[in-house]
Amino acid sequence: MTIIEAIILGIIQGLTEFLPISSSGHLVLSQVILGIQIPGNDFEVLLHIGTLCSILVVFNNDIKNILFTLSSKETQRFILMLFVGTIPAVIIGIGFKDEIGKLFDNIIVVGFALLFTGIILISSFYFKSETKKNTIIKSSLIGIAQAVAIIPGISRSGMTISFALFLGLDARQASKFSFLLAIPVISGAAILMSTELRDGFSIDIYIAISGLLTSFFVGVIALKWLLAWLNTGKFHYFGIYCFLIGILTIIA
């Protein structure tokens, strides 16, 4: 892999990790289309670390507020909801790790998963944005939606935000919970992949830095843009894109 290829994959990861169009699905398709061979999980770990840092930067005020108000019952309740929402992904991710890993080599599965993502996102047009509060039960349902998104081609942000809107949360609540919920999941995924590295990172240092920094900076831009876009009520537009890409993937 070259530095240019690392930058391209970093851009794709940074964009698709937050835009509701599935980062895993697009990384699989990109590697096939561009003919990029990435041995092992080294580079994928770095890209996930880059996008994780994007969340920490964009939501730094929310994270600091949580840390500085840990004694507050409201904060403790919010942390509990994040914990409950994380459990399904942990169970599915660890329990079916090998089976899910095989799906990344099946382009047809990715195509149908993108179709599914498209249908969910298009359906979100009919979800009325309300101001209902999040609850433990709602958090667990959003967590199940996040667990389903482990399948390559199903968007994590698309599923969690759509389900949050369906459950009555407004756009701001939905996006905030979705992306803060991503912190333990992305961290856990990176740690899990890191445990599989046998002899440390085998990627050239310049290639590694190129991918890491690109996914981080592009991730910050994409995340800020999506948060603004959510307020326009046009979230379902991404569904049309996913639906079309899914059809093209299956046909091709």
Side-chain angles (χ1 to χ4, degrees):
M1 181 169 56
T2 66
I3 290 179
I4 297 299
E5 290 173 338
I7 291 174
I8 291 173
L9 292 179
I11 291 173
I12 293 171
Q13 170 70 16
L15 283 173
T16 59
E17 180 66 45
F18 302 118
L19 301 186
I21 54 178
S22 177
S23 62
S24 57
H26 277 74
L27 283 176
V28 170
L29 294 177
S30 299
Q31 290 175 53
V32 172
I33 294 172
L34 299 174
I36 301 175
Q37 298 293 326
I38 306 178
N41 295 320
D42 308 40
F43 193 67
E44 190 175 349
V45 171
L46 289 171
L47 293 183
H48 276 83
I49 292 173
T51 47
L52 172 61
C53 291
S54 300
I55 298 176
L56 298 178
V57 168
V58 174
F59 284 93
N60 70 93
N61 289 330
D62 293 286
I63 294 171
K64 285 190 293 186
N65 182 58
I66 291 173
L67 294 175
F68 293 153
T69 60
L70 288 175
S71 59
S72 165
K73 288 186 178 180
E74 184 178 349
T75 297
Q76 292 172 1
R77 182 173 175 276
F78 186 76
I79 293 174
L80 177 60
M81 289 191 293
L82 289 176
F83 177 76
V84 169
T86 302
I87 292 175
V90 173
I91 294 174
I92 298 299
I94 295 177
F96 298 91
K97 177 172 162 292
D98 294 335
E99 289 78 5
I100 292 171
K102 295 175 183 177
L103 298 179
F104 282 81
D105 297 322
N106 192 323
I107 300 300
I108 298 299
V109 169
V110 173
F112 278 106
L114 284 166
L115 277 179
F116 177 74
T117 297
I119 292 171
I120 295 296
L121 292 175
I122 292 172
S123 299
S124 71
F125 174 74
Y126 302 99
F127 301 161
K128 293 182 179 179
S129 181
E130 302 178 38
T131 56
K132 294 180 180 179
K133 288 186 177 181
N134 198 1
T135 64
I136 299 298
I137 294 177
K138 289 179 182 179
S139 298
S140 63
L141 292 174
I142 296 171
I144 292 172
Q146 177 172 250
V148 172
I150 293 177
I151 297 173
I154 298 182
S155 167
R156 193 207 67 81
S157 62
M159 291 293 289
T160 52
I161 293 176
S162 293
F163 268 75
L165 293 174
F166 173 73
L167 293 170
L169 278 65
D170 60 33
R172 170 158 176 73
Q173 285 187 88
S175 58
K176 177 182 175 181
F177 189 74
S178 171
F179 290 115
L180 290 181
L181 190 62
I183 294 176
V185 170
I186 296 177
S187 300
I191 292 172
L192 188 61
M193 286 187 286
S194 296
T195 60
E196 298 179 354
L197 303 180
R198 296 289 179 264
D199 305 309
F201 285 101
S202 58
I203 302 174
D204 177 82
I205 184 64
Y206 296 108
I207 291 177
I209 292 175
S210 298
L212 177 66
L213 292 181
T214 303
S215 65
F216 167 68
F217 286 114
V218 174
V220 169
I221 295 171
L223 183 49
K224 287 184 175 181
W225 183 83
L226 178 63
L227 293 175
W229 181 264
L230 278 170
N231 293 323
T232 67
K234 299 176 182 178
F235 188 62
H236 61 285
Y237 281 18
F238 292 106
I240 299 172
Y241 168 81
C242 287
F243 196 85
L244 293 175
I245 292 297
I247 292 176
L248 289 174
T249 300
I250 294 170
I251 292 175

Coordinates of all heavy atoms in Angstrom, one line a residue, residues 119-174:
I119 N -33.1 1.8 2.8 CA -34.6 1.7 3.2 C -34.8 2.3 4.5 O -35.8 3.1 4.7 CB -35.0 0.2 3.2 CG1 -35.0 -0.4 1.8 CG2 -36.4 0.1 3.8 CD1 -35.3 -1.8 1.7
I120 N -34.0 2.0 5.5 CA -34.1 2.6 6.9 C -34.0 4.1 6.8 O -34.8 4.8 7.4 CB -33.1 2.0 7.8 CG1 -33.3 0.5 8.1 CG2 -33.1 2.8 9.2 CD1 -34.6 0.2 8.7
L121 N -33.0 4.6 6.1 CA -32.8 6.1 6.0 C -33.9 6.8 5.3 O -34.4 7.8 5.7 CB -31.5 6.4 5.3 CG -30.2 6.0 6.1 CD1 -29.0 6.2 5.2 CD2 -30.1 6.7 7.4
I122 N -34.4 6.2 4.2 CA -35.5 6.8 3.5 C -36.8 6.8 4.4 O -37.5 7.8 4.4 CB -35.8 6.0 2.2 CG1 -34.6 6.2 1.2 CG2 -37.1 6.5 1.5 CD1 -34.7 5.3 0.0
S123 N -36.9 5.7 5.2 CA -38.1 5.7 6.1 C -38.0 6.7 7.2 O -39.1 7.2 7.7 CB -38.1 4.3 6.8 OG -38.3 3.3 5.8
S124 N -36.8 7.2 7.5 CA -36.7 8.2 8.5 C -37.4 9.5 8.2 O -37.6 10.4 9.0 CB -35.2 8.5 8.8 OG -34.6 9.2 7.8
F125 N -37.7 9.7 6.9 CA -38.4 10.9 6.4 C -39.8 11.0 7.1 O -40.3 12.1 7.3 CB -38.6 10.9 4.9 CG -39.4 12.0 4.4 CD1 -38.9 13.3 4.3 CD2 -40.7 11.7 3.9 CE1 -39.7 14.3 3.8 CE2 -41.5 12.8 3.4 CZ -41.0 14.0 3.3
Y126 N -40.3 9.8 7.4 CA -41.7 9.8 8.0 C -41.7 9.8 9.5 O -42.7 9.7 10.2 CB -42.4 8.5 7.5 CG -42.5 8.5 6.0 CD1 -41.6 7.7 5.2 CD2 -43.5 9.3 5.3 CE1 -41.7 7.7 3.8 CE2 -43.6 9.3 3.9 CZ -42.7 8.5 3.2 OH -42.8 8.5 1.8
F127 N -40.4 9.8 10.1 CA -40.3 9.9 11.6 C -40.4 11.3 12.0 O -39.6 12.2 11.6 CB -39.0 9.3 12.1 CG -38.8 7.9 11.7 CD1 -37.5 7.3 11.7 CD2 -39.8 7.0 11.3 CE1 -37.3 6.0 11.3 CE2 -39.6 5.7 10.9 CZ -38.4 5.2 10.9
K128 N -41.4 11.7 12.8 CA -41.6 13.0 13.3 C -40.6 13.3 14.4 O -40.5 12.6 15.4 CB -43.0 13.2 13.8 CG -44.0 13.2 12.7 CD -45.4 13.5 13.3 CE -46.5 13.4 12.2 NZ -47.8 13.7 12.7
S129 N -39.8 14.4 14.2 CA -38.8 14.7 15.3 C -39.5 15.4 16.4 O -40.2 16.4 16.3 CB -37.8 15.7 14.7 OG -36.8 16.1 15.6
E130 N -39.5 14.8 17.6 CA -40.1 15.3 18.8 C -39.1 15.7 19.8 O -37.9 15.7 19.6 CB -41.1 14.2 19.3 CG -42.2 13.8 18.2 CD -43.1 12.7 18.7 OE1 -43.5 12.8 19.9 OE2 -43.4 11.8 18.0
T131 N -39.6 15.9 21.0 CA -38.7 16.3 22.1 C -38.8 15.4 23.3 O -38.6 15.8 24.4 CB -39.0 17.8 22.5 OG1 -40.3 17.9 22.9 CG2 -38.6 18.8 21.4
K132 N -39.1 14.2 23.0 CA -39.3 13.2 24.1 C -37.9 12.9 24.7 O -36.9 12.9 24.0 CB -39.9 11.9 23.6 CG -41.4 12.1 23.2 CD -42.0 10.8 22.7 CE -43.4 10.9 22.2 NZ -44.0 9.7 21.7
K133 N -37.9 12.5 26.0 CA -36.6 12.2 26.6 C -36.2 10.8 26.3 O -37.0 9.9 26.1 CB -36.7 12.4 28.1 CG -36.8 13.9 28.5 CD -36.7 14.0 30.1 CE -36.8 15.5 30.5 NZ -36.7 15.6 32.0
N134 N -34.9 10.6 26.3 CA -34.4 9.2 26.2 C -34.6 8.4 27.5 O -34.7 9.0 28.5 CB -32.9 9.3 25.8 CG -32.4 8.0 25.2 OD1 -33.1 7.0 25.0 ND2 -31.1 7.9 24.9
T135 N -34.7 7.1 27.3 CA -34.9 6.3 28.5 C -34.0 5.1 28.4 O -33.4 4.8 27.4 CB -36.4 5.8 28.6 OG1 -36.7 5.0 27.4 CG2 -37.4 7.0 28.6
I136 N -34.0 4.3 29.4 CA -33.2 3.0 29.4 C -33.7 2.1 28.3 O -32.9 1.5 27.6 CB -33.2 2.3 30.8 CG1 -32.7 3.2 31.9 CG2 -32.5 1.0 30.7 CD1 -31.2 3.6 31.7
I137 N -35.0 2.0 28.2 CA -35.6 1.1 27.2 C -35.2 1.6 25.8 O -34.8 0.8 24.9 CB -37.1 0.9 27.3 CG1 -37.4 0.2 28.6 CG2 -37.7 0.2 26.1 CD1 -38.9 0.1 28.9
K138 N -35.4 2.9 25.5 CA -35.0 3.4 24.2 C -33.5 3.3 23.9 O -33.1 2.9 22.8 CB -35.4 4.9 24.2 CG -36.9 5.2 24.2 CD -37.2 6.7 24.1 CE -38.7 7.0 24.2 NZ -38.9 8.4 24.2
S139 N -32.7 3.4 25.0 CA -31.3 3.3 24.8 C -30.9 1.8 24.4 O -30.0 1.6 23.6 CB -30.5 3.6 26.1 OG -30.8 5.0 26.4
S140 N -31.6 0.9 25.0 CA -31.3 -0.5 24.6 C -31.8 -0.8 23.2 O -31.1 -1.6 22.5 CB -32.1 -1.5 25.6 OG -33.5 -1.3 25.5
L141 N -32.9 -0.2 22.8 CA -33.3 -0.4 21.4 C -32.3 0.2 20.4 O -32.0 -0.3 19.3 CB -34.7 0.2 21.2 CG -35.8 -0.6 22.0 CD1 -37.2 0.2 21.8 CD2 -36.0 -2.0 21.5
I142 N -31.9 1.4 20.7 CA -30.9 2.1 19.9 C -29.6 1.3 19.9 O -28.9 1.1 18.8 CB -30.6 3.5 20.4 CG1 -31.9 4.4 20.3 CG2 -29.4 4.1 19.6 CD1 -31.7 5.7 20.9
G143 N -29.3 0.7 21.0 CA -28.1 -0.2 21.1 C -28.2 -1.4 20.2 O -27.2 -1.9 19.6
I144 N -29.4 -2.0 20.1 CA -29.7 -3.2 19.2 C -29.5 -2.7 17.8 O -28.9 -3.5 17.0 CB -31.1 -3.7 19.5 CG1 -31.2 -4.4 20.9 CG2 -31.4 -4.8 18.4 CD1 -32.6 -4.8 21.3
A145 N -30.0 -1.5 17.5 CA -29.8 -1.0 16.1 C -28.3 -0.9 15.8 O -27.8 -1.1 14.7 CB -30.5 0.3 16.0
Q146 N -27.5 -0.4 16.8 CA -26.1 -0.3 16.6 C -25.4 -1.6 16.4 O -24.5 -1.8 15.6 CB -25.5 0.4 17.8 CG -24.0 0.6 17.8 CD -23.4 1.4 18.9 OE1 -22.9 2.5 18.6 NE2 -23.4 0.9 20.1
A147 N -25.9 -2.6 17.1 CA -25.3 -4.0 17.0 C -25.5 -4.6 15.6 O -24.7 -5.2 15.0 CB -25.9 -4.9 18.1
V148 N -26.7 -4.3 15.0 CA -27.0 -4.8 13.7 C -26.0 -4.1 12.7 O -25.7 -4.8 11.7 CB -28.5 -4.4 13.3 CG1 -28.8 -4.7 11.8 CG2 -29.5 -5.2 14.2
A149 N -25.6 -2.9 13.0 CA -24.7 -2.2 12.1 C -23.3 -2.7 12.1 O -22.5 -2.2 11.3 CB -24.7 -0.7 12.4
I150 N -23.0 -3.8 12.8 CA -21.7 -4.4 12.8 C -21.5 -5.1 11.4 O -20.4 -5.2 10.9 CB -21.5 -5.4 13.9 CG1 -21.5 -4.7 15.3 CG2 -20.3 -6.3 13.7 CD1 -21.4 -5.6 16.5
I151 N -22.7 -5.5 10.8 CA -22.6 -6.1 9.5 C -22.1 -5.0 8.5 O -22.6 -3.9 8.4 CB -24.0 -6.5 9.1 CG1 -24.5 -7.6 10.0 CG2 -24.0 -7.1 7.6 CD1 -26.0 -8.0 9.8
P152 N -21.1 -5.4 7.7 CA -20.6 -4.4 6.7 C -21.6 -4.0 5.7 O -22.3 -4.8 5.1 CB -19.4 -5.2 6.0 CG -19.8 -6.6 6.2 CD -20.4 -6.7 7.6
G153 N -21.8 -2.7 5.5 CA -22.8 -2.2 4.6 C -24.0 -1.6 5.3 O -24.7 -0.8 4.7
I154 N -24.1 -1.9 6.6 CA -25.2 -1.2 7.4 C -24.5 -0.1 8.2 O -23.6 -0.3 9.0 CB -25.9 -2.3 8.4 CG1 -26.5 -3.3 7.5 CG2 -26.9 -1.6 9.2 CD1 -27.3 -4.4 8.3
S155 N -25.1 1.1 8.1 CA -24.5 2.3 8.7 C -24.8 2.3 10.2 O -26.0 2.3 10.6 CB -25.0 3.5 8.0 OG -24.7 4.7 8.8
R156 N -23.8 2.5 11.0 CA -23.9 2.6 12.5 C -24.7 3.9 12.8 O -25.7 3.9 13.5 CB -22.6 2.6 13.2 CG -22.7 2.4 14.7 CD -21.5 3.0 15.4 NE -21.5 4.5 15.3 CZ -22.3 5.2 16.1 NH1 -23.0 4.7 17.0 NH2 -22.3 6.5 15.9
S157 N -24.2 5.0 12.3 CA -24.8 6.3 12.5 C -26.2 6.4 12.0 O -27.1 6.9 12.6 CB -24.0 7.5 12.0 OG -23.8 7.4 10.6
G158 N -26.4 5.8 10.8 CA -27.7 5.8 10.1 C -28.7 5.0 10.9 O -29.8 5.5 11.1
M159 N -28.3 3.9 11.4 CA -29.3 3.0 12.2 C -29.6 3.7 13.5 O -30.8 3.8 13.9 CB -28.6 1.7 12.4 CG -28.5 0.8 11.2 SD -30.1 0.3 10.5 CE -30.7 -0.9 11.8
T160 N -28.6 4.1 14.3 CA -28.8 4.7 15.6 C -29.6 6.0 15.6 O -30.5 6.2 16.3 CB -27.5 4.9 16.3 OG1 -26.6 5.7 15.5 CG2 -26.8 3.6 16.7
I161 N -29.2 6.9 14.6 CA -30.0 8.2 14.5 C -31.4 7.9 14.1 O -32.3 8.5 14.6 CB -29.2 9.1 13.6 CG1 -27.9 9.5 14.2 CG2 -30.1 10.4 13.3 CD1 -27.0 10.4 13.3
S162 N -31.6 7.1 13.1 CA -32.9 6.8 12.6 C -33.8 6.2 13.7 O -35.0 6.6 13.8 CB -32.9 5.8 11.4 OG -32.2 6.4 10.3
F163 N -33.3 5.3 14.4 CA -34.1 4.6 15.5 C -34.4 5.6 16.6 O -35.4 5.6 17.2 CB -33.4 3.4 16.0 CG -33.8 2.1 15.3 CD1 -33.4 1.8 14.1 CD2 -34.7 1.2 16.0 CE1 -33.7 0.7 13.4 CE2 -35.1 0.1 15.3 CZ -34.6 -0.2 14.0
A164 N -33.4 6.5 16.9 CA -33.6 7.5 17.9 C -34.7 8.5 17.5 O -35.6 8.9 18.3 CB -32.3 8.3 18.2
L165 N -34.7 8.9 16.2 CA -35.8 9.7 15.7 C -37.1 9.0 15.8 O -38.2 9.6 16.1 CB -35.5 10.2 14.3 CG -34.3 11.1 14.0 CD1 -34.0 11.2 12.5 CD2 -34.5 12.4 14.7
F166 N -37.1 7.7 15.4 CA -38.3 6.9 15.4 C -38.9 6.9 16.9 O -40.1 6.8 17.0 CB -38.1 5.5 14.9 CG -39.2 4.6 15.0 CD1 -40.3 4.7 14.2 CD2 -39.2 3.6 16.0 CE1 -41.4 3.8 14.4 CE2 -40.3 2.7 16.1 CZ -41.4 2.8 15.3
L167 N -38.0 6.8 17.9 CA -38.4 6.7 19.2 C -38.8 8.1 19.9 O -39.1 8.1 21.1 CB -37.3 6.1 20.1 CG -37.0 4.6 19.7 CD1 -35.8 4.1 20.4 CD2 -38.2 3.7 20.1
G168 N -38.8 9.1 19.1 CA -39.3 10.4 19.5 C -38.2 11.4 20.0 O -38.5 12.5 20.4
L169 N -36.9 11.1 19.8 CA -35.9 12.1 20.2 C -35.7 13.1 19.1 O -36.0 12.7 17.9 CB -34.5 11.4 20.4 CG -34.3 10.7 21.8 CD1 -35.2 9.5 22.0 CD2 -32.8 10.2 21.9
D170 N -35.4 14.3 19.4 CA -35.2 15.3 18.3 C -33.8 15.1 17.7 O -33.0 14.3 18.2 CB -35.3 16.7 18.9 CG -34.4 17.1 20.0 OD1 -33.2 16.6 19.9 OD2 -34.7 17.9 20.9
A171 N -33.5 15.8 16.6 CA -32.3 15.6 15.9 C -31.0 15.8 16.7 O -30.1 15.0 16.6 CB -32.2 16.6 14.7
R172 N -31.0 16.8 17.6 CA -29.9 17.0 18.5 C -29.6 15.9 19.5 O -28.5 15.4 19.6 CB -30.0 18.4 19.2 CG -28.9 18.6 20.2 CD -28.6 20.0 20.6 NE -27.7 20.0 21.7 CZ -26.4 19.8 21.6 NH1 -25.9 19.5 20.4 NH2 -25.5 19.9 22.6
Q173 N -30.7 15.5 20.1 CA -30.6 14.4 21.1 C -30.1 13.1 20.4 O -29.3 12.4 20.9 CB -32.0 14.1 21.7 CG -32.4 15.1 22.8 CD -33.7 14.6 23.4 OE1 -33.7 13.8 24.4 NE2 -34.8 14.9 22.9
A174 N -30.7 12.9 19.2 CA -30.4 11.7 18.4 C -28.9 11.6 18.0 O -28.2 10.6 18.2 CB -31.3 11.6 17.2

